Each structure stands twice: as C-alpha cells, then as structure tokens.
C-alpha cells in the first residue's frame, strides 16, 4: 500500500516510516522540514500541494501525524494552528475522499481531554479518562484545533464512508516537560508510565495497527497510552497516597526509586484508560511501568527515550529562517 505520512521528519515520523516500510508499505513522507523519510517538503495547509500529491502519487492510505503542537503555542499565533491543524486536516480529508483512499489515520492527543480543572487537579479523587469522558473543553488553541480536526474526521466518515481511526496519543516526546520541572526528566517520564505516557515505538506500532484495521472498524476513536496497573476503584487512594497504591502492586518500587534518587508521585490526578484500543484493535503497548522497574532492577538502560536537548526539525527550520 502506498501510504502518505505527514510529519515524516518529526519524532514520531522517524520511527513510523521505517515501521511502515518493514510492513511492506511504500511511504510518501510529507513535512515542512526535510528529513530522511520526507519525499515532499511542504505544508498540509497548502491545498494545491495536497491536491497535486494525491493526483500524482496514487495514495491508498493516509497517516496524518503532522501538526503544530502544544510547545508551538509560544512560537506561532492562533491562526497558524487553525491553518495547519484544522484546514490542513480538511485538505487531506477532501483529497482522500476525492481520490478513493481506502483508510485514514489521524494523530490526535489526550491533551484535548484536559480541562483547566483537571489540569489543576481540584477533584477529590483521580480523574479516570476514557473515550466517553466529557464534556470536552480543551484549554488551549492546540487542543481546540485537534478537537475540531477529530470532528472533521468523524464527518468525512459519515458523509463519504472513509474508514478513519483517530488516535488520542498520550505523551511520548523525548524532551523535558515545558511546564513542570519539579522532578528530573527521566524520573517524571518513568512516573508517567503509571497513567499517561507511552514510548514512541509503541506509538508507531499503534498507528500501524490502526492503518491495518481501519476498513473493518469504519470509524474509531481511541486513547493510546501504556496500560495503567490501576483500576477505577483506586481513584481515591491514588489522589491521596499514590506511593502506597504503587507499592501494593510493585513492592520493590520504593527501593528501586530510592536507589536512583528518584521520587514516586505523591498523588496521581488523572489516568488514561487504554482498554478500548486493546479490545477493538488488539493493540497493547509493550512498554509499561513494570518494564521501567524491570530495567531498574536489572541495571539496564531505561526503556524509553529521554533527550533534554531534542529540538524538532520544524523548530530548527524556523530558527534558521529568523
């Protein structure tokens, strides 16, 4: 299958493009920045470019992973987010429908599920989040535009029967958190495997699974995150005494963390439930919190990427242009 992959030069794209090729697909990479897997340099907001690409390349499947992201809020005005994340998605959907594309996978984000109240963790218990959670009130332009793009995907499936899967991905970025620095980057990432993180490798695998299963699913929207070790009955204890809840399942976790100079989370305010994608697509992340502890126990490298100096190709390109 010839697959158009937007965002091919980005963090996810550098893992997803080789995975697609290993599965036998011909990858047409598209990105605003050049890269090893980018055949077309340009923006999805360029409608004429998108139309020429579909008309000339016999695209059969689309993975739309390119976007302006939350850290880009500091670098780009709101209308740029609308142009790329909303109009760009519409350009791809219209071209896909017009040219008989057999499947469309859209990379969304769990961020759009987080209201200001959830982010502030004002609830008395941890908030359990799945695909039915709402009402959705995204707290910034990134979330607003991703939410709008999700609804465009739903609309095109309804109107054109375009098989479409939306993946609300949890965190998988390699760099430091751009707002929270209370813990070291590695410590914070390790903790997040309890409730809201996955590896970039697992994220790529989820996209491949969605691409393969989209025609039989029709339309699906799924949270993609490492499976949480907790259940809904623990939301109160997770908020008030997370270390005790963690130690009940992983008795040696406190000692392993102490040996590395790390801290377990005092409380957990929200949890992403990824059960639906496992149920419907048979996909489950390979790396979870148990895998992190296993690496600590054996003295192996951590099973996730951490690169404090990572800068996306698009940001590097923008810096050169200034």
């Amino acid at each position: 299958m010839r697959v158009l992959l937007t965002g091919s030069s980005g963090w996810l794209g550098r893992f997803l493009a080789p995975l697609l090729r290993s599965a036998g697909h011909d990858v047409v990479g598209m990105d605003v920045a050049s890269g090893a897997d980018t055949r077309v340099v340009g923006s999805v907001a360029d409608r004429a470019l998108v139309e020429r690409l579909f008309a000339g390349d016999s695209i059969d499947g689309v993975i739309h992973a390119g976007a302006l992201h939350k850290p880009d809020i500091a670098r780009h005005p709101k209308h740029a987010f609308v142009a790329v994340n909303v109009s760009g998605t519409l350009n791809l959907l219209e071209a896909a429908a017009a040219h008989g594309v057999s499947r469309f996978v859209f990379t969304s984000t769990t961020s759009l599920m987080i209201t200001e109240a959830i982010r502030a963790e004002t609830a008395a218990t941890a908030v359990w989040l799945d695909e039915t959670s709402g009402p959705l009130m995204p707290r910034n332009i990134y979330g607003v535009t991703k939410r709008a793009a999700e609804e465009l995907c739903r609309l095109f499936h309804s109107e054109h029967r375009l098989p479409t899967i939306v993946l609300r991905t949890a965190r998988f970025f390699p760099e430091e958190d751009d707002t929270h620095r209370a813990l070291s980057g590695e410590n914070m990432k390790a903790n997040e495997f309890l409730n809201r993180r996955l590896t970039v490798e697992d994220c790529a695998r989820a996209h491949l699974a969605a691409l393969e299963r989209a025609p039989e699913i029709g339309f699906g929207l799924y949270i993609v995150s490492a499976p949480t070790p907790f259940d809904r009955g623990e939301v109160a204890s997770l908020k008030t005494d997370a270390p005790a809840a963690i130690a009940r399942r992983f008795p040696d976790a406190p000692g392993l963390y102490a040996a590395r100079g790390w801290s377990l989370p005092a409380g957990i305010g929200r949890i992403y439930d990824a059960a639906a994608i496992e149920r419907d697509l048979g996909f489950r992340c390979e790396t979870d919190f148990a895998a992190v502890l296993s690496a600590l126990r054996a003295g192996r490298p951590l099973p996730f990427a951490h690169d404090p100096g990572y800068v996306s190709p698009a940001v590097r390109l923008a810096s050169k242009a200034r």
Side-chain angles (χ1 to χ4, degrees):
M1 184 192 317
R2 179 163 290 175
V3 179
L4 172 63
L5 171 62
T6 71
S8 53
S9 297
W11 178 242
L12 176 59
R14 73 168 67 173
F15 290 86
L16 185 47
L19 185 65
L20 288 167
R21 283 197 299 271
S22 70
H25 301 300
D26 178 19
V27 180
V28 178
M30 180 180 185
D31 203 300
V32 294
S34 60
D37 295 297
T38 296
R39 191 183 306 180
V40 179
V41 177
S43 172
V44 294
D46 185 338
R47 184 175 181 177
L49 175 61
V50 170
E51 176 55 36
R52 288 197 303 272
L53 177 58
F54 277 80
D57 260 315
S58 302
I59 302 298
D60 189 41
V62 175
I63 297 180
H64 179 26
L68 288 181
H69 297 280
K70 190 257 187 180
D72 292 315
I73 292 174
R75 296 183 284 265
H76 297 278
K78 289 181 174 63
H79 67 77
F81 277 81
V82 173
V84 174
N85 293 358
V86 182
S87 296
T89 302
L90 178 59
N91 291 340
L92 291 167
L93 286 165
E94 287 184 329
H99 291 274
V101 166
S102 70
R103 61 205 74 192
F104 193 102
V105 178
F106 174 62
T107 310
S108 189
T109 173
T110 52
S111 177
L112 63 81
M113 305 172 69
I114 308 306
T115 64
E116 288 291 354
I118 293 175
R119 185 172 185 270
E121 299 188 359
T122 58
T125 68
V127 179
W128 194 275
L129 295 162
D130 62 18
E131 292 79 2
T132 67
S133 298
L136 299 178
M137 295 182 289
R139 68 188 188 278
N140 53 41
I141 190 64
Y142 171 54
V144 167
T145 53
K146 280 294 194 176
R147 177 69 178 135
E150 286 188 356
E151 289 307 311
L152 286 172
C153 290
R154 192 186 306 274
L155 179 67
F156 269 73
H157 170 69
S158 175
E159 292 184 346
H160 301 280
R161 312 317 301 171
L162 174 63
T164 303
I165 291 183
V166 174
L167 298 179
R168 285 183 182 166
T169 61
R171 293 174 158 213
F172 60 89
F173 56 79
E175 64 266 38
E176 299 282 2
D177 188 290
D178 64 342
T179 54
H180 301 289
R181 298 291 176 88
L183 300 176
S184 71
E186 286 186 334
N187 188 169
M188 180 173 288
K189 286 181 173 65
N191 288 355
E192 288 173 344
F193 277 92
L194 289 161
N195 64 319
R196 59 169 182 161
R197 179 168 282 275
L198 72 162
T199 65
V200 66
E201 294 88 350
D202 276 334
C203 194
R205 290 177 51 246
H207 282 74
L208 178 59
L211 186 75
E212 292 173 343
R213 299 291 299 280
E216 64 186 272
I217 296 294
F219 180 84
L221 184 153
Y222 300 103
I223 288 173
V224 190
S225 189
T228 180
F230 307 116
D231 59 51
R232 290 176 185 263
E234 297 174 278
V235 291
S237 61
L238 286 170
K239 182 65 182 291
T240 58
D241 191 359
I246 295 165
R248 282 195 293 272
R249 279 179 164 73
F250 308 101
D252 64 344
L256 291 169
Y257 263 52
R260 199 175 179 100
W262 284 1
S263 298
L264 290 168
I268 292 176
R270 60 186 185 262
I271 294 173
Y272 300 144
D273 183 350
I277 193 171
E278 184 172 359
R279 179 194 66 221
D280 292 357
L281 272 64
F283 174 80
R284 181 183 176 93
C285 289
E286 293 179 352
T287 300
D288 57 11
F289 186 70
V292 174
L293 294 184
S294 178
L296 294 178
R297 203 176 288 122
R300 297 192 305 268
L302 293 169
F304 58 84
H306 175 67
D307 181 1
Y310 176 80
V311 179
S312 74
V315 172
R316 289 198 297 270
L317 179 66
S319 298
K320 289 179 180 178
R322 287 198 291 268

